Amino acid sequence: MVRGLFITLEGLDGSGKTTQIKRLAAWMQRRALPVTMTRQPGGTPLGDRIREILLDPVSTGVAPLTEMTLMFADRAQCIAQVIRPALETGQCVLCDRFTDSTEAYQGGGRELGSEVVLDLHRLVCGNLQPDLTLLLLPSLEVSLGRARSRNRRVAEKTGQDEGRFEQEQDAFYRRVWQKYREIAAREPERVVPIEGNLSVDEVHEQIVEAVAEKLLAMAGNQ
Ligand code: TMP
């Protein structure tokens, strides 16, 4: 059995990842490519409980190292329960956030640095790396504006507030943004940045172009 393609979507809160991952899954399914979608944190019953702890503004005073290791605890479960089994049965896995988020948010935003994140990645995730990472980079102002207003709407409607990160100051997000750019510059083979305030259709077009290219390259290598 040929291992499936592992694709991750990355970006700031409000960068449009969730909309784009759904459209990409539909595009792949129309081409009869088997797809498994997941997200981090979350994506497993245990991960959903970790997500609640991490995103609830009620969780105050969470130490950066606690935050980082909880993200990896969630990831370990998602890899064991969802990602590896799907890849091994030839499914393409579309994952909303992966270790780049930890490097950007905890390494950059919380200023833990990249090294500790990459070391933990090696320990916890072994050799598992995405084949392709689509990094959505609309401007900081657009991303944050969208994320904060979406969070207010959801909290009013459902009573569930996932806004612990959105409460952070702009300086935190500037560091996250900067770290994402650093990762893209370090790993240009894997990470495709999609920059600027583009329409949903324009972003989708760039995504399918990158995915089609990767699928062709994989087919060529088999
Ligand atoms: P999202 O699933 O709605 O994108 O939100 C998840 C939040 O968690 C988002 O603010 C980014 C943050 N996060 C981290 O700080 N580190 C991580 O490793 C991951 C996966 C997410």
Side-chain angles (χ1 to χ4, degrees):
M1 173 76 62
V2 179
R3 175 188 173 282
L5 193 64
F6 181 28
I7 300 175
T8 57
L9 269 89
E10 290 285 350
L12 293 186
D13 305 72
S15 59
K17 288 178 293 87
T18 310
T19 307
Q20 292 298 337
I21 209 166
K22 286 188 197 144
R23 286 195 63 172
L24 175 58
W27 181 89
M28 294 179 95
Q29 279 154 354
R30 283 199 298 278
R31 279 150 192 82
L33 294 162
V35 173
T36 292
M37 264 164 72
T38 188
R39 68 169 178 179
Q40 292 179 4
T44 63
L46 178 67
D48 282 335
R49 291 166 71 187
I50 297 176
R51 179 181 177 95
E52 222 179 293
I53 295 170
L54 281 166
L55 302 194
D56 192 337
V58 163
S59 306
T60 50
V62 181
L65 283 171
T66 310
E67 191 175 270
M68 177 183 68
T69 45
L70 281 173
M71 293 293 179
F72 272 108
D74 162 73
R75 185 159 304 128
Q77 189 64 27
C78 188
I79 289 172
Q81 207 176 336
V82 180
I83 300 177
R84 278 208 198 276
L87 291 175
E88 281 162 13
T89 52
Q91 298 258 326
C92 293
V93 174
L94 303 184
C95 189
D96 191 337
R97 300 192 180 279
F98 195 61
T99 297
D100 294 327
S101 282
T102 317
E103 191 178 347
Y105 281 76
Q106 282 67 51
R110 301 278 187 233
E111 300 182 277
L112 291 176
S114 291
E115 207 179 319
V116 63
V117 177
L118 297 178
D119 284 349
L120 257 185
H121 176 82
R122 272 188 289 277
L123 272 174
V124 174
C125 312
N127 58 359
L128 185 66
Q129 283 293 357
D131 299 298
L132 175 66
T133 296
L134 302 153
L135 172 57
L136 308 191
L137 283 175
S139 69
L140 192 64
E141 296 69 30
V142 164
S143 294
L144 285 188
R146 270 196 222 142
R148 286 172 178 153
S149 63
R150 181 192 53 206
N151 199 52
R152 269 195 304 276
R153 267 199 321 274
V154 172
E156 275 164 22
K157 214 165 133 194
T158 65
Q160 193 188 10
D161 189 349
E162 286 200 332
R164 193 172 68 87
F165 281 93
E166 281 92 341
Q167 288 175 346
E168 287 297 332
Q169 302 303 310
D170 289 1
F172 170 87
Y173 279 102
R174 242 173 258 121
R175 291 194 295 275
V176 175
W177 165 276
Q178 188 50 41
K179 188 57 86 178
Y180 267 134
R181 299 197 68 93
E182 244 180 80
I183 298 169
R186 184 183 72 211
E187 296 182 56
E189 289 291 306
R190 171 174 70 86
V191 183
V192 174
I194 298 173
E195 304 193 47
N197 297 329
L198 306 171
S199 70
V200 172
D201 286 343
E202 285 168 329
V203 174
H204 178 65
E205 267 168 43
Q206 292 199 29
I207 285 178
V208 297
E209 200 180 308
V211 171
E213 206 175 289
K214 189 55 79 175
L215 286 168
L216 265 178
M218 286 216 19
N221 288 337
Q222 277 159 25

